[in-house]
Amino acid sequence: MRFFPNLPAMRLSMLAPIVGLSLAALQPAGAAEGVSVFSDPSKIAAIGGSITEIVYALGEEKRLVARDSTSNYPKAALALPDVGYMRALSPEGVLSVNPTGILALHGSGPREAVDVLKKTSIPFIEVPEHYSHEGILEKVRIVGKALGVDAKAEVLAKELDAKLTAAEKQTASIKERKRILFVLSIQGGKILAAGAETAADGMVKLAGGVNAVDGFSGYKQMSDEAIITARPDVILMMSNAGPPVSDDELFGNPSIASTPAGTARKLIRIDGGYLLGFGPRTADAIHDLAVSLYGAQVKG
């Protein structure tokens, strides 16, 4: 999930002691890059909330020896050792659980830490992240293959395919689409919003909405004029993620107050991992967001 894509990467100098220790201790047999199936899937470190969810959905949770801090579902996963936030990993933390394999969502970082992990003798499999229906099925199949349970993965992929298709059809007949502004945070009175090629943009579209923002990719600060010009009908935010933003702070922002969403004080908050995870629960998240947007117009 790209909740905070612009977090600064750790400087290489900070990693130097860890790099020296990790490579010296763990690379005598050569790096294990480029694999797609773990030769020993008995002790897997899962990096990325959707990766952990998929492993549980496959019934293979017994293989997990660690998770990252975004992996907080299902509740049972919280009992696993936490190796840190997926975008601020340390090789030392990941390697401390002695995994036989590392299964990481694309975007895990910082780059220097991932480079170190990829150069160790422990197999490292990176799972692509595409914010789409097909992207979810791809993740399931890649995780299943990595664990050696391709058949189980195919069964799960077909089940999720049907659920996602049904969820997307629920808003197919709606003519007037809501314009949604996804607000990641407010920094110094400035709105940090989601543009194209983000999980938020993908979810808005799957739920039958329109991203009120265009012209840029990723998450960026928007000017007051750009917010007003975007004319959002609804503000969408994550709950349980990042610094809290109160309703009064949001709607007290002059640019937000000048939009249809601000005038109507229309705000939807949904748990970040559930809303933007693009994993086994996404069909349910699509339905819940669609109902929040359109109410009784949602079919099924």
Side-chain angles (χ1 to χ4, degrees):
M1 291 174 288
R2 294 182 181 177
F3 289 172
F4 305 99
N6 295 319
L7 284 175
M10 287 189 290
R11 293 183 181 277
L12 187 57
S13 60
M14 295 174 63
L15 282 170
I18 297 172
V19 171
L21 172 63
S22 299
L23 292 184
L26 292 165
Q27 203 186 351
E33 293 187 73
V35 299
S36 60
V37 183
F38 293 122
S39 57
D40 178 3
S42 63
K43 297 169 62 181
I44 302 302
I47 311 297
S50 62
I51 302 302
T52 302
E53 283 194 40
I54 290 168
V55 174
Y56 272 86
L58 290 170
E60 297 297 321
E61 62 272 16
K62 63 184 178 295
R63 302 179 185 273
L64 295 177
V65 294
R67 63 175 179 94
D68 78 305
S69 60
T70 70
S71 298
N72 52 28
Y73 185 89
K75 188 175 181 180
L78 297 176
L80 293 166
D82 183 347
V83 297
Y85 176 52
M86 66 172 285
R87 299 192 191 282
L89 300 171
S90 75
E92 187 177 51
V94 177
L95 299 174
S96 69
V97 298
N98 297 314
T100 58
I102 301 166
L103 194 56
L105 188 62
H106 177 76
S108 298
R111 179 179 54 79
E112 295 89 354
V114 171
D115 286 347
V116 170
L117 291 170
K118 287 181 175 180
K119 290 175 182 176
T120 70
S121 59
I122 298 170
F124 186 105
I125 295 178
E126 187 173 68
V127 182
E129 176 78 292
H130 302 294
Y131 305 118
S132 65
H133 178 143
E134 287 301 324
I136 295 170
L137 306 186
E138 180 186 32
K139 280 199 281 191
V140 168
R141 292 179 173 121
I142 289 173
V143 171
K145 182 177 182 179
L147 299 178
V149 291
D150 301 70
K152 290 173 74 172
E154 196 57 39
V155 170
L156 178 59
K158 288 180 179 178
E159 176 186 326
L160 295 180
D161 186 25
K163 287 183 177 180
L164 288 163
T165 298
E168 292 168 65
K169 286 181 178 178
Q170 291 176 335
T171 57
S173 63
I174 293 174
K175 298 286 192 295
E176 295 184 14
R177 304 280 169 160
K178 300 285 188 181
R179 294 177 59 82
I180 318 300
L181 178 67
F182 180 88
V183 175
L184 181 63
S185 67
I186 300 179
Q187 302 173 352
K190 294 296 185 181
I191 302 296
L192 188 64
E197 298 177 16
T198 60
D201 180 69
M203 274 301 297
V204 164
K205 291 173 180 175
L206 287 171
V210 174
N211 190 345
V213 172
D214 56 25
F216 68 83
S217 300
Y219 296 87
K220 292 186 179 179
Q221 278 193 351
M222 296 184 67
S223 67
D224 291 349
E225 182 181 3
I227 295 286
I228 295 168
T229 301
R231 297 178 295 103
D233 300 302
V234 178
I235 306 298
L236 177 62
M237 297 188 73
M238 295 185 292
S239 59
N240 307 319
V245 176
S246 69
D247 289 16
D248 288 342
E249 181 182 1
L250 176 70
F251 292 118
N253 182 284
S255 60
I256 294 291
S258 301
T259 67
T263 301
R265 291 180 69 91
K266 182 62 176 177
L267 168 65
I268 298 171
R269 296 183 192 264
I270 299 178
D271 176 78
Y274 179 59
L275 177 67
L276 304 182
F278 280 80
R281 296 182 292 160
T282 295
D284 293 331
I286 292 170
H287 171 78
D288 290 352
L289 177 55
V291 169
S292 296
L293 292 173
Y294 300 112
Q297 294 182 72
V298 176
K299 305 297 182 183

